[in-house]
Amino acid sequence: MRFVEPFPRRRIRRALCALVSVLIAAVQDEPAVTHAPQLAHGVSRLGTESAFAVLARARDLERRGRSIVHLEIGEPDFPTPEHVAAAGIAAIERGETGYTPSAGLADFREVIADELSRSRGIEVPVERVLVANGAKLLLFLTILAVCDPGDEVIYPDPGFPIYESAIRWAGGIPVPLPLREELDFSFASEELSERLGPQTKLVILNSPNNPTGGVASAEDLQSAAEMILDSPAWVLSDEVYRRIAYDGTASSIASLSSMLERTVVLDGLSKTYAMTGWRCGYAAVPSPLVDPLTRLITNSVSCVPAFVQAAGIAALTGPQASVTTMVNEFRARREIIVAGLSSLPGVSCRAPHGAFYAFPDVSRLRIDAQQLADRLLEEAGVALLTGEGFGAHGEGHLRISYATSRTQLELALERMRQFLDAQLA
Ligand code: PLP
């Protein structure tokens, strides 16, 4: 029997329609309707972290033989403590390489509940502890879990750029809360009060702060808590730099009366234990958020690998000497970088109280900060970021990560001095 191919009437009709639409568009001088696949509109709302873009440019220059000092990326230049890495390796050798519960392994969650309770003076029930692949994922998912289109979210400006990006992705309205240099990069209570209202779904706080190194005082947090308790807002307290504080302990808003019930207390292994690549963050979350956040984890990344959680248990329960050593070294580097930057012509720099970032004011120079950063990279071989990449209130500043060796910091300062002297000559 001969195979008779059916008459492809539908295909011809489709081709004719396409041809007609192209002809009509040509006549009307409009773009033709095509069947090219389209991206979601939301994609254009996603921001990024300039650190990764500048790092890529710097690496490209290095491949072409240039010497670059890296002050752009925010990660400790210390190795993961040996006993922590060993715990992860031992878990792999025991065969702990399968899926785990999305909320995290019970043993790890218990250790985290103890740590959060002890360090913040609060009582965190283990059921309210969640583990995820980095604090960044937990903050992104928290914003998705609470923010409907049109909801307002207050966040620090300058601040970690992923806050604004995630708010926009969720369709929310970003409401920047200025961190004022004259307040040592804390916020003014009146400015929080002006922004807070029935329309506020979430308030994001970050202390110690990236990029300014500012630490909110206990009084600032107390007045913020009082205002927030008078509103319907949840709080996301990003405390990933809590252990890197130079002038006393950084307070948590969750320690204040009634705040734990509405606060996501966010911390992680990345900064404290030099574990950025292990990808592990954790949080104590209000009861109503446990199930939605767990589902979001199940729907996206499933879980954190068991061997990473084993390393996490070792990090939180083992010796803390490596943290002390690292923070002491950052403190010494802070002295070098602040003194060095302040001695450059046209530059002033406050001493940061936490994290490992300096945020010098370069607005008195006759060159715009973005141009300055570009030229320092291209001409002087110093990779750093502009404050503007962290929000409009970062304008006229640079962000410098001093999580690099003293020798590299001295070299960067020397190169910056030579560059600025040549400009001003
Ligand atoms: N929050 C702040 C303020 C940060 O600066 C960073 C990383 O730079 C993160 C969260 C994300 O940390 P993680 O590596 O745990 O995702």
Side-chain angles (χ1 to χ4, degrees):
M1 199 177 75
R2 255 183 83 213
F3 178 73
V4 182
E5 216 180 356
F7 185 59
R9 222 182 281 160
R10 229 187 293 143
R11 238 192 281 156
I12 289 177
R13 202 183 316 133
R14 245 188 271 143
L16 280 175
C17 286
L19 183 64
V20 168
S21 75
V22 168
L23 287 174
I24 291 172
V27 170
Q28 296 179 337
D29 209 15
E30 273 175 13
V33 176
T34 70
H35 294 290
Q38 301 294 310
L39 292 173
H41 292 299
V43 168
S44 64
R45 297 196 301 268
L46 273 177
T48 187
E49 271 189 79
S50 56
F52 288 97
V54 174
L55 177 66
R57 278 173 66 198
R59 293 260 185 262
D60 194 43
L61 288 169
E62 281 173 325
R63 264 194 305 278
R64 288 189 267 139
R66 293 282 308 282
S67 146
I68 305 290
V69 183
H70 292 274
L71 306 180
E72 77 281 40
I73 201 78
E75 65 179 346
D77 58 326
F78 287 77
T80 298
E82 233 171 83
H83 70 281
V84 176
I89 292 165
I92 293 178
E93 284 171 349
R94 285 195 303 271
E96 293 174 19
T97 53
Y99 291 126
T100 62
S102 292
L105 289 169
D107 288 354
F108 190 30
R109 292 171 77 198
E110 259 169 41
V111 162
I112 294 167
D114 281 352
E115 204 285 322
L116 291 173
S117 302
R118 210 176 335 108
S119 56
R120 276 81 170 171
I122 47 183
E123 205 49 56
V124 176
V126 65
E127 318 77 64
R128 284 172 49 183
V129 169
L130 297 178
V131 177
N133 318 63
K136 188 189 264 182
L137 181 66
L138 276 169
L139 78 84
F140 200 92
L141 298 184
T142 299
I143 292 168
L144 291 190
V146 303
C147 182
D148 278 320
D151 286 343
E152 292 191 5
V153 180
I154 297 176
Y155 67 103
D157 177 355
F160 188 45
I162 301 307
Y163 304 142
E164 184 182 345
S165 174
I167 298 163
R168 289 192 188 281
W169 174 253
I173 301 171
V175 180
L177 175 65
L179 299 185
R180 301 278 177 200
E181 186 154 12
E182 58 277 20
L183 300 176
D184 231 359
F185 292 117
S186 191
F187 55 87
S189 297
E190 319 81 73
E191 291 190 304
L192 176 57
S193 155
E194 283 158 19
R195 286 160 177 75
L196 198 60
Q199 73 291 354
T200 310
K201 204 62 175 290
L202 175 68
V203 177
I204 301 175
L205 300 173
N206 172 220
S207 172
N209 169 262
N210 174 10
T212 64
V215 174
S217 67
E219 299 75 51
D220 288 345
L221 292 177
Q222 180 66 51
S223 80
E226 282 162 19
M227 286 184 260
I228 290 167
L229 286 170
D230 259 350
S231 84
W234 299 102
V235 175
L236 170 59
S237 182
D238 182 342
E239 301 175 8
V240 298
Y241 296 101
R242 198 192 73 86
R243 297 280 294 277
I244 308 171
Y246 307 112
D247 310 300
T249 316
S251 311
S252 170
I253 196 164
S255 310
L256 302 173
S257 173
S258 309
M259 287 309 291
L260 186 59
E261 303 315 312
R262 60 165 78 203
T263 302
V264 171
V265 190
L266 182 63
D267 204 334
L269 304 177
S270 287
K271 315 289 176 177
T272 309
Y273 299 100
M275 294 177 74
T276 48
W278 293 73
R279 309 307 303 128
C280 188
Y282 51 83
V285 312
S287 303
L289 290 183
V290 172
D291 184 54
L293 285 171
T294 308
R295 279 169 191 256
L296 280 163
I297 296 169
T298 306
N299 273 265
S300 52
V301 290
S302 294
C303 60
V304 173
F307 53 88
V308 171
Q309 299 189 57
I313 292 174
L316 295 183
T317 59
Q320 302 294 303
S322 61
V323 182
T324 313
T325 306
M326 185 180 75
V327 175
N328 284 340
E329 176 59 22
F330 286 153
R331 185 181 282 111
R333 293 177 191 176
R334 174 182 74 145
E335 306 305 321
I336 295 171
I337 197 77
V338 171
L341 288 168
S342 304
S343 73
L344 296 177
V347 179
S348 62
C349 184
R350 274 174 185 270
H353 297 294
F356 36 67
Y357 307 111
F359 202 63
D361 180 348
V362 292
S363 60
R364 277 179 297 132
L365 294 170
R366 268 170 297 145
I367 175 170
D368 145 88
Q370 183 61 60
Q371 260 185 335
L372 177 62
D374 287 342
R375 291 189 58 194
L376 282 170
L377 174 60
E378 301 287 337
E379 297 170 34
V382 180
L384 38 71
L385 308 180
T386 62
E388 221 177 34
F390 295 83
H393 287 90
E395 220 177 85
H397 288 74
L398 298 176
R399 192 202 76 168
I400 288 176
S401 163
Y402 52 89
T404 189
S405 71
R406 299 185 199 196
T407 328
Q408 288 291 293
L409 291 179
E410 306 274 15
L411 179 60
L413 287 165
E414 185 47 37
R415 289 181 179 183
M416 289 172 82
R417 175 177 306 285
Q418 279 177 13
F419 175 86
L420 291 174
D421 283 348
Q423 297 308 301
L424 298 169

